[in-house]
Amino acid sequence: MASAEAAPLVDPNILGEWYDLEALVDAVERCREIAGALGPEAWTCDDLQKYVRRAVGATTGPAPAGSQDSPVVVGPELRVHGVQGLLIADTAIVPSVHPANTDAPSAVVGEKASALIITASS
């Protein structure tokens, strides 16, 4: 059994490769061209890279919750399908990406997780 003090073993390696960042910066530049509304026109490539690094850190939805019959990895009890004893208790389980800060959804997921853990240990 893992220790609560141990560092997590999961590393999503977000933007771990140079071409990941390059692709997202290119996407942001294209969005700006299409919409003409993403930040000041004077942003440099370095500024866009900093923006992308900040924006990518607050993702939701890579492990959406749902029934085992749906294409999801986490069930309604926050347990990872096919992995005994592993729960996901962060906004990764929220099925859609939020355009705003994820503090409130994180708190809701945390409350749900704590209630499930307390119930399971009773």
Side-chain angles (χ1 to χ4, degrees):
M1 180 169 244
S3 167
E5 289 84 31
L9 300 177
V10 178
D11 176 9
N13 199 26
I14 296 172
L15 302 178
E17 300 293 333
W18 65 269
Y19 48 81
D20 294 334
L21 181 59
E22 186 176 286
L24 286 172
V25 167
D26 183 51
V28 169
E29 287 176 330
R30 288 176 191 252
C31 288
R32 246 182 21 182
E33 290 170 9
I34 293 168
L38 184 64
E41 291 296 320
W43 277 11
T44 65
C45 185
D46 286 341
D47 292 333
L48 287 173
Q49 287 181 359
K50 289 175 188 170
Y51 170 80
V52 167
R53 286 188 189 281
R54 280 193 317 271
V56 169
T59 60
T60 60
S67 70
Q68 197 151 4
D69 298 332
S70 59
V72 297
V73 297
V74 179
E77 300 292 310
L78 307 181
R79 298 184 190 288
V80 177
H81 297 304
V83 181
Q84 185 177 357
L86 180 61
L87 282 75
I88 293 183
D90 67 14
T91 55
I93 68 163
V94 178
S96 61
V97 176
H98 296 281
N101 191 297
T102 58
D103 288 351
S106 297
V108 170
V109 172
E111 288 291 325
K112 166 86 172 174
S114 66
L116 291 169
I117 293 167
I118 290 168
T119 301
S121 64
S122 299

